[in-house]
Amino acid sequence: DIVLTQSPATLSLSPGERATLSCRASQSVDNYLAWYQQKPGQAPRLLIYGASNRATGIPARFSGSGSGTDFTLTISSLEPEDLAVYYCQRSGGWPKTFGRGTRLEIK
Amino acid sequence: EVHLLESGGGLVQPGGSLRLSCAASGFTFSSYAMTWVRQAPGQGLQWVSTVSVGGGSTYYAVSVRGRFTISRDDSKHTLSLQMNSLRAEDTAVYYCVKGDSNYYYDFWGQGTLVTVSS
């Protein structure tokens, strides 16, 4: 099975700073890669699909890039409400693996 | 507006059974694959099972294959998950999830908690 490795496990930044989250696949997933945001006590929400496409209603400060095995989620200027755990997930093939997540803390 | 409402969670003893349901509204239910994703307490997300459009194909995580059965009733806009031979490690919040044509999970329910304990 394809394994998705996310780094770092935890990221602590201040409002206005830029956040860079990484997701690396053990084999190529082409661009079948999504990012989800899960705020405390809430269900996950789709942020990015197809590696680089923002889902409906997602602010422009969120962007995704990459293909094959290396992917990045960038939050250009952090807002306090971006406090959450971020997961990547492969959507092509089976099983539909998730990464272990990156916890984003806002100082 | 898309709405997914899970029910059926609760406390069950190891080896027992439970049936989860998900009532869907706000979209053409029959046109989309549907999925269950779970999250153990304090842990990450785990894909559990997916049923295709029409119900002809089903997919399972290795950890639940042979014990869980996913099904759908398009006439009632309902997704189900029959869980048998439950184990402590099945304890989790179970989310009902709608996927688009590329299995990106664009809408999630609020989840139902399943606790397997004696």
Side-chain angles (χ1 to χ4, degrees):
Chain A
D1 291 351
I2 292 177
V3 175
L4 298 180
T5 302
Q6 292 189 240
S7 61
T10 304
L11 190 56
S12 183
L13 295 169
S14 299
E17 289 193 296
R18 182 184 189 90
T20 303
L21 287 67
S22 172
C23 176
R24 178 164 290 177
S26 59
Q27 303 173 46
S28 175
V29 297
D30 294 321
N31 69 334
Y32 292 103
L33 194 286
W35 290 92
Y36 298 87
Q37 176 193 60
Q38 186 176 32
K39 295 183 178 182
Q42 296 185 17
R45 174 176 72 153
L46 178 66
L47 288 178
I48 301 288
Y49 65 94
S52 61
N53 302 288
R54 273 191 304 278
T56 302
I58 301 303
R61 65 179 183 276
F62 291 92
S63 64
S65 63
S67 66
T69 60
D70 289 299
F71 300 87
T72 301
L73 174 69
T74 301
I75 310 173
S76 60
S77 180
L78 283 170
E79 301 281 348
E81 62 262 30
D82 297 333
L83 166 73
V85 180
Y86 294 83
Y87 296 95
C88 60
Q89 177 237 345
R90 65 169 291 213
S91 71
W94 305 94
K96 305 296 188 191
T97 314
F98 287 90
R100 289 177 170 261
T102 290
R103 183 176 303 275
L104 179 59
E105 299 175 347
I106 309 297
K107 293 179 182 177
Chain B
E1 181 184 1
V2 172
H3 196 56
L4 299 168
L5 182 62
E6 303 94 337
S7 60
L11 175 64
V12 61
Q13 291 189 339
S17 298
L18 213 54
R19 186 176 182 87
L20 305 184
S21 294
C22 171
S25 61
F27 65 104
T28 305
F29 182 77
S30 60
S31 296
Y32 295 93
M34 295 297 295
T35 292
W36 290 97
V37 173
R38 70 184 180 184
Q39 186 169 35
Q43 302 301 309
L45 302 171
Q46 181 189 20
W47 170 77
V48 173
S49 182
T50 295
V51 59
S52 66
V53 170
S57 296
T58 55
Y59 307 87
Y60 299 93
V62 169
S63 57
V64 306
R65 193 173 296 153
R67 300 187 299 123
F68 290 12
T69 302
I70 191 171
S71 60
R72 62 189 299 159
D73 184 334
D74 289 344
S75 67
K76 296 181 179 178
H77 299 176
T78 300
L79 175 71
S80 297
L81 186 68
Q82 177 66 41
M83 304 187 295
N84 299 330
S85 302
L86 283 161
R87 306 166 180 168
E89 54 265 36
D90 295 319
T91 294
V93 173
Y94 285 72
Y95 292 102
C96 169
V97 186
K98 170 189 171 291
D100 70 5
S101 58
N102 287 309
Y103 297 101
Y104 296 119
Y105 301 141
D106 52 0
F107 289 97
W108 298 62
Q110 283 305 302
T112 187
L113 176 62
V114 172
T115 302
V116 184
S117 174
S118 54

